[in-house]
């Protein structure tokens, strides 16, 4: 709905002069002249200060000359037929009369108005660019053939992580508008035809005059702006005059490998059909809208993702991290063996090239990487043997801050100190009852070497002492 005012001081310009055509110019010549001026003076392409006014004049002139009744009024009465207060009674200006909406042709209705002459700006500038924008309007553009387009349909579907990696296909159930088979999209019963709307006289708009020279234009509520209407009782019983009905169907959608969560796939032509029964021309060209499928990828228990790269966290034991080794790592296709370097710590990473997700839009064989991050699993509880080994390792590495419970080092020190003050026999037997782990550690640190030497020396002294005592006994017996 728009409001505009007319002034008695403003004389309507000669439309033939504005467009640069003669009185006998044909409709196609008038249209061609307007097209040329609209392209030349449109403010979006012409930054000249006067371009806006020149564009508005051309717009008003074309509106006047493209309407046969207004053109006839100009040819008979000139500007007097259109200037407010020129002696004509406004009550004579009926909605469908030759002066209906006359003030709208004076150029005072602003930039967005004045297109009662079937001009669609989207079509106009689509023609400028040589493009083919499809119009959703119902009235034909003077510059290109109209194509009525149906609405798009949006749905959402869920897939697994592995389906996103390898690609899959899914059946999507939708309920789109399809052409009514009963009336073939015409919206009318057989034998019926649309007639000019009696309320608006076929213009699609109704103009209401109010006080102080204002007039109000609104869309005709009878025909919905189409200018034509279906006779009462002539509507198709299946589609109620719309030309389309709802029908459930299933569409198979191919989902490519490498798709990410939140991406959208477009299936061309699987949207709603255009409601051709509501248009002025039931035979207008039409095309279906599109189906948009939003993809939701479920998280995976093993893998993560960063673009085309797949992320995996490998847990390894403390001993493998310290000593090095080999672990089994899953990939998108199969398990692989991965070497672990000596001294690997939590957070260290290894990249396996080409084992990630397929790259969309790239080469057919292009894929991301598999990035493996290590996490060292630390034991929460230790047995006596495990603690002993770790304490011995701490002693060997010179770790003074580690907590000691088994006190392996102090036992070794006290054992050597006691052996020097007591007899050699207890010292020699100091390692007899020790456990396997302690014995292995003492052998590793050569503590058994001293006890063996002392034991051998003791045995030798005992043997010599025995040999000395035997001659004495023999001499005493004599």
């Amino acid at each position: 709905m728009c409001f505009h005012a007319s002034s008695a001081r403003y004389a309507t310009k000669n439309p033939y002069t504005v467009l640069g055509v003669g009185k006998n110019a044909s409709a196609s010549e008038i249209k061609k002249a307007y097209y040329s001026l609209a392209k030349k003076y449109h403010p979006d392409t012409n930054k000249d200060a006067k371009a806006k006014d020149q564009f508005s004049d051309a717009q008003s002139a074309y509106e006047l000359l493209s309407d046969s009744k207004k053109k006839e009024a100009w040819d008979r009465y000139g500007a007097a037929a259109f200037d407010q207060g020129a002696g004509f009674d406004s009550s004579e200006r009926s909605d469908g009369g030759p002066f209906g909406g006359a003030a709208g042709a004076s150029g005072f209705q602003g930039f967005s108005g004045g297109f009662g002459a079937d001009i669609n700006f989207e079509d106009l500038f689509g023609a400028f660019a040589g493009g083919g924008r499809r119009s959703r309007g119902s009235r034909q553009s003077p510059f290109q053939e109209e194509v009525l387009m149906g609405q798009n349909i949006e749905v959402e579907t869920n897939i697994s992580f592995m389906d996103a990696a390898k690609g899959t296909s899914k059946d999507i159930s939708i309920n789109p508008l399809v052409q009514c088979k009963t009336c073939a999209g015409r919206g009318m019963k057989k034998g019926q035809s649309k007639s000019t709307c009696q309320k608006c006289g076929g213009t699609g708009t109704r103009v209401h005059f109010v006080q102080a020279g204002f007039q109000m234009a609104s869309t005709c509520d009878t025909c919905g702006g189409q200018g034509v209407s279906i006779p009462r009782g002539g509507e198709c019983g299946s589609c109620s005059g719309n030309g389309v009905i709802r029908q459930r169907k299933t569409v198979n959608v191919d989902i490519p490998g490498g798709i990410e969560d939140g991406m959208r796939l477009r299936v061309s032509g699987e949207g709603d059909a255009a409601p051709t029964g509501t248009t002025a021309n039931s035979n207008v060209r039409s095309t279906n809208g599109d189906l948009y499928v939003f993809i939701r990828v479920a998280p995976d228990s093993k893998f993560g993702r960063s673009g085309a790269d797949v992320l995996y966290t490998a847990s390894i034991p403390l001993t493998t991290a310290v000593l090095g080794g080999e672990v089994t790592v899953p990939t998108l296709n199969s398990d692989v063996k991965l070497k672990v370097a000596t001294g690997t710590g939590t957070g260290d990473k290894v990249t396996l090239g080409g084992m990630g997700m397929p790259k969309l839009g790239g080469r057919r064989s292009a894929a991301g990487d598999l990035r493996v991050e290590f996490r060292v699993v630390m034991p929460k509880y230790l047995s006596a043997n495990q603690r002993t080994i770790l304490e011995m390792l701490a002693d060997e590495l010179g770790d003074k801050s580690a907590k000691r419970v088994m006190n392996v080092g102090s036992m070794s020190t006290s054992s050597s100190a006691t052996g020097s003050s007591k007899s050699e026999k207890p010292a020699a037997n100091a390692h007899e009852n020790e456990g396997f782990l302690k014995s292995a550690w003492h052998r590793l640190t050569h503590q058994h070497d001293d006890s063996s030497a002392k034991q051998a020396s003791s045995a030798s002294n005992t043997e010599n002492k025995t040999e000395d005592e035997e001659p004495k006994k023999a001499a005493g017996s004599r």
Side-chain angles (χ1 to χ4, degrees):
M1 187 174 293
C2 59
F3 295 90
H4 44 271
S6 299
S7 172
R9 293 177 299 173
Y10 185 86
T12 303
K13 293 183 179 180
N14 188 325
Y16 296 107
T17 304
V18 172
L19 295 181
V21 296
K23 274 193 173 185
N24 298 323
S26 64
S28 60
E29 291 174 337
I30 293 173
K31 183 188 298 184
K32 184 177 180 180
Y34 170 70
Y35 175 85
S36 177
L37 293 175
K39 182 178 179 181
K40 180 178 180 181
Y41 292 116
H42 193 277
D44 287 348
T45 57
N46 191 329
K47 302 304 179 181
D48 190 287
K50 298 181 180 179
K52 180 178 179 179
D53 293 335
Q54 292 172 312
F55 178 80
S56 181
D57 290 343
Q59 173 185 326
S60 300
Y62 180 72
E63 181 184 3
L64 192 155
L65 294 182
S66 61
D67 188 306
S68 59
K69 293 181 179 180
K70 293 180 181 179
K71 183 175 184 296
E72 181 183 358
W74 176 272
D75 292 341
R76 291 182 62 185
Y77 304 107
F82 297 90
D83 293 340
Q84 186 76 10
F88 286 89
D89 185 358
S90 61
S91 63
E92 297 177 0
R93 301 175 194 173
S94 62
D95 293 342
F99 308 114
S106 64
F108 276 81
Q109 53 191 346
F111 228 16
S112 60
F115 272 83
D118 299 339
I119 301 298
N120 185 305
F121 263 110
E122 288 190 0
D123 293 338
L124 176 64
F125 290 101
F128 285 176
R133 290 189 182 183
R134 293 177 292 183
S135 169
R136 295 184 184 272
S138 59
R139 287 155 57 175
Q140 187 174 2
S141 163
F143 302 113
Q144 65 181 72
E145 184 179 3
E146 177 197 39
V147 178
L148 192 64
M149 182 175 175
Q151 295 292 324
N152 297 326
I153 298 177
E154 296 181 352
V155 296
E156 184 177 288
T157 188
N158 298 314
I159 61 174
S160 67
F161 187 90
M162 295 306 295
D163 284 342
K166 298 178 178 295
T168 186
S169 63
K170 294 206 70 175
D171 289 333
I172 307 296
S173 295
I174 56 177
N175 194 29
L177 289 172
V178 298
Q179 187 183 73
C180 177
K181 295 181 180 179
T182 304
C183 64
R186 296 178 65 248
M188 297 174 290
K189 294 178 180 179
K190 189 174 182 180
Q192 296 288 339
S193 61
K194 295 179 181 179
S195 59
T196 302
C197 177
Q198 299 301 315
K199 289 289 185 180
C200 64
T203 63
T205 59
R206 300 186 65 185
V207 180
H208 311 275
F209 291 91
V210 293
Q211 296 178 353
F214 284 96
Q215 58 181 342
M216 180 179 66
S218 63
T219 301
C220 178
D221 54 359
T222 302
C223 64
Q226 302 302 321
V228 294
S229 60
I230 300 175
R232 185 181 298 275
E235 300 91 350
C236 172
S238 299
C239 63
S240 301
N242 293 316
V244 289
I245 58 173
R246 291 283 178 190
Q247 187 177 81
R248 192 165 187 82
K249 65 182 295 188
T250 300
V251 179
N252 186 265
V253 179
D254 290 325
I255 302 175
I259 195 165
E260 295 188 48
D261 181 60
M263 282 187 171
R264 186 179 72 168
L265 298 176
R266 182 174 69 89
V267 185
S268 180
E270 292 295 345
D272 286 339
T276 52
T278 62
T279 62
N281 178 14
S282 299
N283 297 320
V284 64
R285 285 184 57 197
S286 65
T287 182
N288 288 6
D290 299 327
L291 171 64
Y292 288 93
V293 182
F294 289 86
I295 305 299
R296 305 300 301 181
V297 181
D300 190 80
S301 58
K302 295 185 297 184
F303 298 111
R305 183 173 182 178
S306 177
D309 293 339
V310 175
L311 312 178
Y312 178 74
T313 300
S315 299
I316 58 175
L318 172 63
T319 48
T320 303
V322 174
L323 301 175
E326 191 176 67
V327 294
T328 300
V329 173
T331 69
L332 297 178
N333 299 311
S334 61
D335 293 346
V336 296
K337 295 288 186 179
L338 182 63
K339 290 184 178 181
V340 181
T342 301
T344 296
T346 296
D348 290 351
K349 297 178 182 178
V350 175
T351 299
L352 303 179
M355 291 191 177
M357 291 276 188
K359 292 183 177 179
L360 292 176
R363 294 174 300 172
R364 182 173 299 180
S365 59
D369 302 326
L370 173 61
R371 304 205 307 245
V372 180
E373 181 176 345
F374 292 108
R375 182 175 68 88
V376 180
V377 180
M378 305 299 294
K380 293 184 177 181
Y381 304 101
L382 297 172
S383 65
N385 288 345
Q386 292 170 344
R387 180 169 285 280
T388 299
I389 292 174
L390 291 177
E391 288 187 15
M392 289 189 295
L393 179 61
D395 290 339
E396 181 68 15
L397 296 176
D399 184 359
K400 304 298 183 182
S401 61
K403 180 181 178 181
R404 267 71 169 182
V405 174
M406 307 306 291
N407 295 318
V408 179
S410 60
M411 290 174 61
S412 175
T413 304
S414 61
S415 174
S416 60
T418 306
S420 61
S421 60
K422 295 184 179 180
S423 61
E424 296 176 355
K425 185 175 181 179
N429 297 332
H431 299 283
E432 287 182 0
N433 298 323
E434 65 185 3
F436 170 75
L437 293 174
K438 288 185 178 181
S439 177
W441 173 255
H442 290 157
R443 283 198 170 103
L444 184 63
T445 56
H446 306 290
Q447 293 185 30
H448 282 190
D449 295 347
D450 295 339
S451 61
S452 298
K454 291 179 180 178
Q455 190 173 4
S457 177
S458 175
S460 176
N461 292 337
T462 304
E463 185 179 351
N464 292 335
K465 184 176 181 181
T466 304
E467 290 178 356
D468 291 340
E469 289 178 354
E470 286 180 356
K472 291 180 182 180
K473 291 180 180 180
S477 63
R478 293 178 183 175

